[in-house]
Amino acid sequence: MNAVIAAVGVMLILSLCRVHVVIALIVGALVGGLTGGLGIDATLKAFNSGLGGGATVALSYALLGAFAVAIAKSGMAHALADKALAMVDRQHAHGAGQVKWLLIGLLWVVAIASQNILPIHIAFIPLLVPPLLYVLTKLQLDRRLIACVMTFGLITPYMVFPVGFGNIFLNQILLANVARSGVDISQINVMHAMAIPALGMVFGLLMAVFVSYRKKRVYDLAKIEQVEQVSVAYNPKTIGVAGLAIVAAFVIQLLLDSMIIGALAGFLIFSVSGIVKWRETDDLFTEGMKMMAMIGFIMIAASGFAEVLKATGQVRTLVESAAAWINHSKAIGALLMLLVGLLVTIGIGSSFSTVPILAAIFVPLCVQLGFSPMAIVCIVGTAGALGDTGSPASDSTLGPTSGLNVDGQHHHIWDTVVPTFLHYNLPLLAFGWVAAMVL
């Protein structure tokens, strides 16, 4: 059996059986390494060498967690939650429905902005979602819907808009790697190339909102009251300082291209302003790091997992096996390449990391099959994006879970990973294939 299929298959089966994702990644890496002929020592060496690749991301999320706790202490998110709760209590069923759509729209817009306008990625989730969770629970909103809404906003914008994270994915990674493989991209509009696959994401979102999760879902209100309904004093000064800290963190992140320094600067503003007392900084910092620790550890383990897959050399073997089935058929070729991209990205958990691997293998195959440069960009970009949503190790699924599961009522696999996989990967696969055929 191919090592990539074995590793990803074991990781997914264990995750679906509610084994913790970190354990599933480690066991999957061992199975993949042994299946690929590395042996136990070489597998462990490859896994350990890959751990450092996730360290920067893990530290960034830890510091963002501390920054999030400081913002929560300022009362900014609680002020928003209090206003929403007052609207729910004041209005009847029709009014509560308006609040429901207002909150869904707010999380959707903020998630989109986190990729292009204010590129903080999942950092907004621990800031905004836990204080709103009481209101969402009282409205009996299905948290699987909220997970789908946020995941849409975390992925679709960088797929199609070349700004913020989209600039990194589309220009610096996708186009650069396609060009490096010998394709002329000078006349390609990358937004046109990725527009049809992005429509697949829109289709999945509409299905989640209006079909799958439109009914109410009851959660235990007492559990969220124990966790989140803590009185937080806020006033214009605390909210103003929070706004200043957010702006400072954003500007510094853009100037220095470092989430770590940006989050640290924002945290220091809270300390200097007195919103966070100096004697409280140690405990508050530790609390924030603990909040994001799970994401950090999973990202580190995912880096080790990805390194084992690379070390086996069987990603290329998987593609070559798929090529044997193509028989010069563009339709079959496009479908198989997208399926391989889905499999590899689900294992690695990041489209940003997958595209360079896939481009080196897919581009020559696409040229041989006669695909246009626009279709080649679409195939490689869609193959990379497939699996970013619906992967147990993707920060685009881990982020929503971190906010929605603060009271233990939202399971990462069954309430985030499976719903986002079904609603986004399947339409993305179909729309990506259509785009490859018509471009």
Side-chain angles (χ1 to χ4, degrees), residues 338-352:
L338 292 175
L339 287 172
V340 170
L342 172 62
L343 181 67
V344 174
T345 309
I346 281 182
I348 294 177
S350 169
S351 55
F352 287 68

Side-chain angles (χ1 to χ4, degrees), residues 1-21:
M1 179 181 289
N2 183 275
V4 176
I5 296 176
V8 174
V10 168
M11 184 268 288
L12 290 177
I13 290 171
L14 290 176
S15 296
L16 290 171
C17 292
R18 298 181 182 265
V19 175
H20 195 278
V21 177

Side-chain angles (χ1 to χ4, degrees), residues 375-404:
I376 293 173
V377 170
C378 173
I379 289 171
V380 176
T382 305
L386 272 165
D388 198 354
T389 172
S391 168
S394 170
D395 49 8
S396 298
T397 58
L398 290 165
T401 298
S402 70
L404 295 169

Side-chain angles (χ1 to χ4, degrees), residues 15 43 52 80 131 157 171 190 192 225 245 255 260 293 296 325 421 428:
S15 296
T43 300
L80 177 62
N171 292 326
V190 72
H192 290 170
E225 286 175 336
L255 291 176
I260 294 175
W325 288 83
F421 180 93
L428 188 55

